[in-house]
Amino acid sequence: MNSPRYDGKPLLRLVELWVHWVIDELDPADAARLAEMEPNLRATWSLEGSWHSMIESLLEIPPSLPDDLRAMWQRNLETARDNNAEPPTEMFAQSIADQLTA
C-alpha cells in the first residue's frame, strides 16, 4: 500500500493488518503475503513465531486486547447494521493501529 500515511512508519500497515486478523477480517491475499514475510520479519526483529505473534511481542500487546478489540468490533458491526451501512473495517483498523503505535 503506497500512501503518505505510512511514510516513516514501516510498522503501521502491519499493525493495521494485525487488527484485521484479530477481528477476522484479514483478506486471504494479505494473509498469504504475511505468511511469506514471516522469515524476513523473524530475521529483522530477532523474534520467533507467526507474524501476528511478533507484532504482539514488539508492541507488548496485553493478552486481553484481542478479545477487547473483537468486542469493540462486534459493537461497530451492530451499529453499522442498524444504520444499513457498510462496517468501517479499514477505519477501525487504522484507528486502533494509530493508538498502538503512538
Side-chain angles (χ1 to χ4, degrees):
M1 183 169 278
N2 203 3
S3 166
R5 171 175 168 71
Y6 306 105
D7 289 350
K9 301 173 188 174
L11 190 59
L12 187 57
R13 184 62 185 156
L14 290 174
V15 177
E16 290 171 2
L17 292 169
W18 175 82
V19 174
H20 283 273
W21 174 79
V22 166
I23 64 172
D24 201 29
E25 294 286 338
L26 184 61
D27 181 89
D30 286 330
R33 277 191 294 279
L34 289 160
E36 288 173 13
M37 290 174 58
E38 284 179 350
N40 291 336
L41 296 175
R42 286 185 196 111
T44 298
W45 295 328
S46 299
L47 292 171
E48 291 298 318
S50 63
W51 69 270
H52 44 84
S53 67
M54 287 185 269
I55 295 292
E56 292 166 0
S57 291
L58 281 172
L59 298 179
E60 299 178 356
I61 291 176
S64 61
L65 185 59
D67 287 337
D68 294 343
L69 292 177
R70 282 188 279 276
M72 287 171 56
W73 179 241
Q74 281 302 331
R75 289 191 297 275
N76 277 316
L77 285 176
E78 290 167 13
T79 300
R81 208 172 299 127
D82 291 346
N83 293 305
N84 294 320
E86 284 292 315
T89 311
E90 193 62 35
M91 187 171 36
F92 180 80
Q94 288 178 351
S95 173
I96 300 301
D98 288 345
Q99 293 173 49
L100 291 174
T101 59

